[in-house]
Amino acid sequence: MESLTGRLLVATPALRDPNFERTVVLVVAHEEGGALGVVLNRATEVQVADVLGGWGALAGEPPVVFEGGPVQPEAAICLARTRPGVEDLAGFNRVSGAVGTVDLSGDPDLLVAGVLGVRVFAGYAGWSPGQLEREIEGGSWFVFDALPSDAFAPRPDDLWQMVLRRQGGLMAAVAHYPADPTQN
């Protein structure tokens, strides 16, 4: 399978694991050794400024920490979106297009001129070699191209439906699938 780095994994209605039900995951790395991603639509109430000081000024709306996934919830991953025309930015590791990761041990003031905003994730989603491919083949995930704005959606709770709707056709209809079909 080709690398899924920079693409979205969108949970299908069949995926009932509470860690991933109705989630949208940005794949940050996908190689022979496995895959790593962050859940884009699980905001917490913890303010970035409360736990990471100066990084709070760069955090987009909502300026909170997100639950990135069930693996190492004490670890933080930071995504940033570069400003148009910015090609080289110290401490920025490009994932796809204008989106990449930044090192939170660095000085946020050095990034102000080069980024439109950041989003901080506690924990991540991880897959062992071949595991993600098996989950996709088994019908747990849809795979779609990401827009640069997906990782920084101001209304993350709506992201699952928004991504499905923009696919059109049958995928747009899946966006209206009830959370609990027995209540339909």
Side-chain angles (χ1 to χ4, degrees):
M1 176 177 268
E2 67 184 58
S3 176
L4 299 176
T5 299
R7 302 203 60 205
L8 296 178
L9 303 175
V10 177
T12 69
L15 182 54
R16 306 306 287 181
D17 177 340
N19 289 307
F20 296 106
E21 190 171 357
R22 289 188 177 237
T23 58
V24 178
V25 176
L26 177 67
V27 179
V28 176
H30 182 224
E31 48 201 40
E32 279 186 35
L36 180 145
V38 289
V39 175
L40 300 178
N41 59 331
R42 293 249 172 109
T44 70
E45 295 184 9
V46 177
Q47 299 290 311
V48 172
D50 290 349
V51 291
L52 292 169
W55 289 97
L58 290 175
E61 284 299 319
V64 297
V65 175
F66 281 67
E67 291 178 25
V71 181
Q72 290 188 324
E74 70 284 354
I77 293 177
C78 183
L79 292 180
R81 183 176 179 190
T82 58
R83 295 183 184 281
V86 173
E87 293 298 320
D88 191 33
L89 189 62
F92 178 82
N93 295 303
R94 194 168 310 280
V95 172
S96 179
V99 177
T101 60
V102 293
D103 182 355
L104 287 169
S105 66
D107 183 352
D109 293 335
L110 299 177
L111 294 176
V112 171
V115 301
L116 292 170
V118 301
R119 185 148 284 170
V120 177
F121 300 86
Y124 60 90
W127 293 268
S128 60
Q131 180 184 2
L132 178 57
E133 292 81 355
R134 288 188 300 276
E135 289 182 15
I136 292 168
E137 290 170 12
S140 294
W141 300 101
F142 298 124
V143 180
F144 300 123
D145 291 334
L147 298 178
S149 59
D150 288 335
F152 305 94
R155 294 182 15 220
D157 290 343
D158 297 336
L159 189 61
W160 187 81
Q161 289 180 318
M162 286 179 5
V163 171
L164 288 168
R165 275 197 301 262
R166 77 175 182 233
Q167 306 310 311
L170 186 57
M171 284 297 132
V174 173
H176 301 289
Y177 192 86
D180 183 355
T182 65
Q183 300 297 313
N184 195 7

